[in-house]
């Protein structure tokens, strides 16, 4: 059990206030977008002044355990944990499947494209499933909206310039396949010439502004509130990225508001963009991103379309499951005033996430007995102690908000005490 020093990332879309407020500091002069906790080679966390990826490489079995090194033969930590603070929208993006990542990585290696080249799509041979769990109100666009609702939205806009495109939603299959329709429309929008796209975006945004104004003045309603909210985001995106293809893409996606504790899981191929808010993000340890707009970075349209999943996703939220086990202070997890632990079930082996609320100094929670585990404190003071600490022989560690601990496979059992809220991340494979 050792203190894990996270690595900040200062991307332009980050917030100057959200992470500083979490850790009890003043706003920063430059945006703090992310803090990375893990062993990603681009920015590994440190333990006792040493890079975590180097520590793991020196003794993979001791740090990761045989179950993990057998399942993941590259002998590296399979997951990455982040604090993510967005004041502005991130790029519209999707991630490849494992097979697509392996093929793309090998193909770009064979083509001698440097890993640092801005046109490099595949930085490693891994997929990148991810979950974002809100710490504040969090807004995101994730997955294609069901076509019936998108028809409703586009119809309400009454934008003549849109009409010939809307017919593409009929698809090309005999049964009017929704997936084929979404593919045809999105592929067209992201591929049309720049001048034509800007004219279309201007027309759409003007129509959106009219509709929002109508709703604000309580004129005869032809829109539901969700349409007004979605269109406000579309207008805001165009103010930040005028004429961008991502503005049109936003017309097709689910717009989601997460309350604190709620989450979204994003599997391979799901087009998405986080819009604003603070959250804990956990993902497979990969950096493979295919972008589709809302960014000055490279957009490879054919490669993006190849990895996209065009099946509509009505709601990509993950329902947290309240845990009730002996690990929770010997009492039921749902007991009023007691420790509460929520698991976020995800269909991947690289990671498993639990959010634990320890209401007072007497509260305890037994962390997973076998590492590798990262425990991240987001509120209060988390007091970690090994099983033998009570006898004066074990380790003890205090975590403040924004601090994390590393527990290897060789560490003894650890208990967490409060009052605090912590996220506990482990590999999702059995011993």
């Amino acid at each position: 059990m050792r203190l894990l020093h996270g690595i900040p990332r200062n991307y332009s879309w980050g917030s100057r206030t959200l992470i500083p407020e979490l850790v009890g500091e003043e706003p920063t002069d430059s945006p703090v977008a992310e803090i990375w906790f893990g062993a990603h080679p681009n920015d590994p966390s440190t333990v006792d002044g040493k890079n975590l990826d180097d520590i793991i490489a020196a003794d993979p079995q001791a740090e990761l355990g045989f179950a993990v090194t057998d399942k993941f033969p590259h002998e590296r930590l399979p997951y990455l944990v982040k604090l993510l603070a967005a004041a502005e929208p991130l790029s519209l993006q999707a991630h490849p499947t494992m097979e697509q990542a392996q093929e793309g990585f090998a193909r770009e290696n064979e083509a001698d494209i440097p890993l640092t080249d801005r046109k490099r799509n595949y930085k490693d041979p891994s997929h990148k499933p991810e979950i974002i769990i809100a710490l504040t109100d969090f807004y995101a666009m994730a997955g294609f909206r069901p076509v019936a609702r998108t028809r409703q939205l586009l119809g309400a806009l009454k934008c003549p310039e849109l009409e010939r495109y809307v017919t593409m939603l009929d698809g090309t299959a005999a049964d009017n396949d929704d997936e084929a329709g979404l593919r045809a429309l999105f592929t067209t929008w992201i591929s049309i010439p720049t001048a034509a796209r800007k004219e279309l975006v201007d027309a759409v945004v003007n129509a959106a502004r009219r509709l929002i104004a109508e709703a604000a003045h309580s004129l005869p309603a032809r829109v539901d509130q969700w349409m007004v909210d979605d269109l406000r985001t579309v207008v805001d995106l165009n103010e930040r990225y005028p004429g961008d293809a991502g503005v049109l893409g936003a017309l097709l996606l689910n717009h989601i508001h997460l309350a604190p504790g709620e989450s979204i899981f994003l599997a391979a191929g799901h087009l998405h963009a986080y819009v604003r808010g603070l959250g804990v993000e956990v993902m497979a340890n990969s950096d493979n991103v295919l972008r589709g707009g809302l960014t000055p970075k490279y957009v490879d349209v054919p490669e993006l379309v190849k990895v996209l999943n065009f099946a509509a996703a009505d709601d990509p939220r993950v329902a947290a499951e309240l845990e009730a086990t002996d690990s929770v202070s010997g009492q039921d997890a749902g007991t009023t005033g007691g420790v509460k632990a929520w698991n976020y079930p995800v269909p991947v082996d690289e990671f498993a996430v639990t959010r634990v609320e320890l209401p007072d100094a007497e509260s305890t929670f037994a962390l997973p007995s076998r590492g590798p585990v990262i425990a991240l404190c987001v509120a209060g003071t988390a007091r970690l102690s090994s099983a033998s600490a009570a006898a004066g022989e074990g380790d003890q560690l205090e975590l403040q908000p924004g601090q994390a601990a590393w527990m290897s496979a060789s560490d003894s059992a650890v208990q967490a005490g409060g009052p605090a809220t912590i996220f506990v991340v482990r590999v999702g494979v059995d011993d």
Side-chain angles (χ1 to χ4, degrees), residues 307-376:
V307 306
L308 279 182
N309 180 349
F310 287 95
D314 193 14
D315 193 346
R317 298 169 196 257
V318 174
E321 299 175 348
L322 190 62
E323 181 179 317
T325 72
D326 292 340
S327 65
V328 186
S329 298
Q331 60 183 320
D332 188 287
T335 301
T336 301
V339 177
K340 292 184 179 179
W342 288 268
N343 295 314
Y344 293 84
V346 292
V348 296
D349 291 334
E350 281 84 357
F351 59 85
V353 187
T354 303
R355 174 171 59 94
V356 183
E357 291 189 1
L358 300 147
D360 51 48
E362 284 68 46
S363 305
T364 61
F365 180 85
L367 273 61
S369 59
R370 298 294 300 274
V373 172
I374 291 177
L376 170 64

Side-chain angles (χ1 to χ4, degrees), residues 237-261:
L237 292 175
N238 188 61
E239 290 175 354
R240 299 177 188 277
Y241 296 96
D244 192 274
V247 178
L248 297 174
L251 289 171
L252 305 178
L253 300 180
N254 293 298
H255 292 229
I256 299 170
H257 169 212
L258 298 177

Side-chain angles (χ1 to χ4, degrees), residues 6-31:
I7 306 299
R9 287 265 179 142
N10 303 105
Y11 302 127
S12 61
W13 49 261
S15 169
R16 291 173 170 80
T17 60
L18 288 173
I19 289 178
E21 286 175 357
L22 177 78
V23 303
E25 296 178 354
E26 294 296 317
T28 55
D29 293 332
S30 59

